[in-house]
Amino acid sequence: MSNEQTPQQGEELEAGVEAEQHAAEQISEEVVELTEDQQRIVELEAAVAAAEAKVADQKDSVIRAMAESDNARKRAQGEIDKARKFALEKFAGELLPVADNLERALQVANPEDEAIKPVVDGVELTLKSFVSTIEKFGMTVIDPQGQPFNPEQHQAMSMQENAELPPNTVMAVMQKGYELNGRLLRPAMVMVTRAPEGGVDTQA
């Protein structure tokens, strides 16, 4: 048998090689296409994850912004309420001497003197009207006669022994105090009782 190939055999061998090469090229193209699809999927998954992270971050930012806005609104409302509540504080403080003078006029007036009785009645009526008016705006009078001494509202000007009242009791009010919506404008100046063996702590 001869080792030489006939022309027909050469052609068949060449055709077989070409077929194998073509099949290999098709497989390679399919692998490349599959790899590209996988890469695209990875890219899309990464894009979706980034979009979800961005949405979550924006949602958190919106929630924080809403909370900050709500806190700012509450602070502003609190400041408005505070300003409205104590807007008259300085003006009210300037009115206190008026009340003091009216009370002093009643203290020094002789109620038995018929000549000045109409004047005394007028001053008393004016003082009542004054107190009623300021109370409409949140002011209250501190008149602690006979009450226990309260260093948050009272200022002890002196102490005196007294057997009829318990120690640490206001026995005399030298000057009334005033509050505006619960805030102390002026403490009441008072005289406080003390026991013979000791005194009262007048420090707040």
Side-chain angles (χ1 to χ4, degrees), residues 163-177:
E164 298 178 359
L165 295 173
N168 204 21
T169 300
V170 175
M171 63 178 298
V173 178
M174 303 171 183
Q175 187 179 69
K176 294 177 182 178

Side-chain angles (χ1 to χ4, degrees), residues 126-144:
T126 301
L127 178 60
K128 288 182 179 179
S129 176
F130 177 82
V131 172
S132 176
T133 300
I134 63 176
E135 285 178 346
K136 292 178 182 178
F137 292 91
M139 285 183 65
T140 54
V141 181
I142 302 174
D143 187 7

Side-chain angles (χ1 to χ4, degrees), residues 58-74:
Q58 290 179 343
K59 183 179 180 181
D60 186 58
S61 298
V62 169
I63 292 173
R64 285 198 304 269
M66 290 176 64
E68 291 176 0
S69 175
D70 187 56
N71 290 337
R73 182 186 60 79
K74 289 179 179 177

